[in-house]
Amino acid sequence: FTGRSVWRTQQKQLYQRDYNNVVSNIGRYSSLLAAEGDDDSEVNGISEAIEEAVAEMESSEEEKKEVAEEEAEVAEEVEEKVVLEPVPPASFSIESDNSGPSGSTVHTLTVNLGAPGHPEPLVFETGKIGRQAAGSVRLTRGDTVLYATAARDKDPKEHIDFCPLSVEHQERFSSVGLTSGAFNKRDGRPAEHEILTCRLIDRPLRPLIADGWRHETQLLSWVLSYDGLRSCDPLAITASAASLWISDVPLLKPVAAAQVGYIDEQFVLNPTIEQMESSSLNLVVAGTKDAVLMIEGAADFLPEKVMMDAVTFGHEAIKILCEGIEELGNVVGKVKNYSTLPPPIEGLQERVDELMTEKVDAMYRMTGDKAAQSAEMSMLSKYVVETLEPEFPEKALAIKSCYKDLLCRRMFEMAKTTGTRCDGRALSEVRRIDIEAGLL
């Protein structure tokens, strides 16, 4: 837009100069006529005629300028039509050599996604950097480089009933050749976008870590170099998942992610930032080669079929990535650590189901506010622990886990068989949303 503004300013200056020259000539011609003794009315008539001609010339020039601007805008729109260059077919290959420190083995996975407009392959490298981490991966796409590590504590945490997984993602200033100019030369606290990226990484990975894993686990993702062309969010998810997969943390399946745009009625895989300005869809898809685990994004009132096709389009790229990452894990050869996972207690889930199924169903059929149903759910949790703890001593956490499993199964079964959610809404019914303008 800066170039167009300069052009308009120059044209305006030229028109003003021509106008001043015409007016000046009118004044000189009028003076000559007056000096020769001609009638003032003749002079005024000539002046009026010249002024009318100048006005017509200005209006004509304005029309031409408007037409030229419209043609330029149309030409720019035509030029902005996305043209996707052909790429190699979807494939992956793995190479191994002894180029690491002290002759250590380095494994390199190269993945071609096979999507038009995405010519750069994704290159995963492990074995050269971060060799003492449980798993480390350097992911390269063009001139963008990400480094992801997975580390876990030696001993499991006692007396907790959740997976102690933490995720950190940092887009360092140095990735674009910048250094903080403040007194504190470090990068500082995470930005909002970095925190949201951490959530994108956590969401598809946490459910796939084996039940009962209680080792404190940390995923770190750093953007070491950024070319400024495409978003790094899908790369951060994929690199973190790859580092976790090649480690001994019991991740059940490899995970990958892709970004999908919709430009000129065609899907674009991992579009550039410039292409996203004209895209009516910004969708991040994460999943395994078998299913989609997470979608995140926004769309400009697109039909449902377009959204479904977009998810399918992104999942096709995820499949080839997951197949390559799975094979990379086989080549690296780290054995998953299942030794610290607590074995299931024989007969406990059956006893919980027998004791609590009818009570849970009655709780889900309750009509009223959410607070009453939550209070009933908490009371049932205490009841099942108090009832079964004498039969299964020192297994309160396991009893609660089985109770939560029953809650999930009965909620799903109720929606499937009756077509009603646990809060009374039909499957096709959206929760009521109240909006009030001018509140403050």
Side-chain angles (χ1 to χ4, degrees), residues 383-404:
Y383 170 77
V384 68
V385 172
E386 294 173 355
T387 303
L388 295 181
E389 196 167 22
E391 186 178 347
F392 300 93
E394 300 181 359
K395 299 297 180 182
L397 292 178
I399 296 172
K400 288 182 179 179
S401 178
C402 292
Y403 172 66
K404 291 179 181 178

Side-chain angles (χ1 to χ4, degrees), residues 205-376:
L205 291 178
R206 184 180 293 271
L208 288 183
I209 298 177
D211 289 338
W213 179 257
R214 298 296 179 257
H215 295 261
E216 189 170 346
T217 306
Q218 185 182 50
L219 292 177
L220 298 180
S221 172
W222 289 348
V223 180
L224 299 183
S225 177
Y226 181 51
D227 58 12
L229 295 179
R230 293 179 170 90
S231 171
C232 292
D233 294 354
L235 296 184
I237 300 172
T238 305
S240 299
S243 66
L244 195 62
W245 174 253
I246 65 174
S247 72
D248 61 348
V249 177
L251 186 69
L252 302 181
K253 295 180 180 180
V255 175
Q259 185 180 20
V260 180
Y262 190 62
I263 308 170
D264 297 335
E265 298 185 353
Q266 59 181 330
F267 295 114
V268 181
L269 182 66
N270 296 332
T272 64
I273 295 175
E274 183 179 358
Q275 290 173 339
M276 285 303 299
E277 293 178 358
S278 57
S279 175
S280 56
L281 173 66
N282 181 8
L283 183 68
V284 177
V285 185
T288 67
K289 66 179 182 180
D290 301 317
V292 173
L293 297 176
M294 179 200 72
I295 56 174
E296 174 82 13
D300 188 10
F301 296 98
L302 294 176
E304 182 178 352
K305 184 180 185 306
V306 174
M307 294 299 297
M308 296 298 295
D309 292 342
V311 174
T312 303
F313 177 78
H315 191 225
E316 291 300 319
I318 290 173
K319 288 180 182 178
I320 186 66
L321 280 169
C322 289
E323 291 174 1
I325 294 172
E326 184 175 11
E327 186 61 27
L328 179 64
N330 296 335
V331 172
V332 172
K334 277 195 177 180
V335 179
K336 295 297 183 182
N337 181 14
Y338 294 99
S339 61
T340 60
L341 299 182
I345 302 173
E346 185 176 354
L348 177 57
Q349 186 67 63
E350 289 76 6
R351 285 287 292 121
V352 172
D353 291 354
E354 178 185 356
L355 178 66
M356 302 300 298
T357 297
E358 293 184 1
K359 294 180 175 60
V360 169
D361 289 346
M363 182 264 299
Y364 280 142
R365 288 193 296 267
M366 288 178 59
T367 57
D369 59 358
K370 184 177 179 180
Q373 192 178 70
S374 297
E376 180 70 13

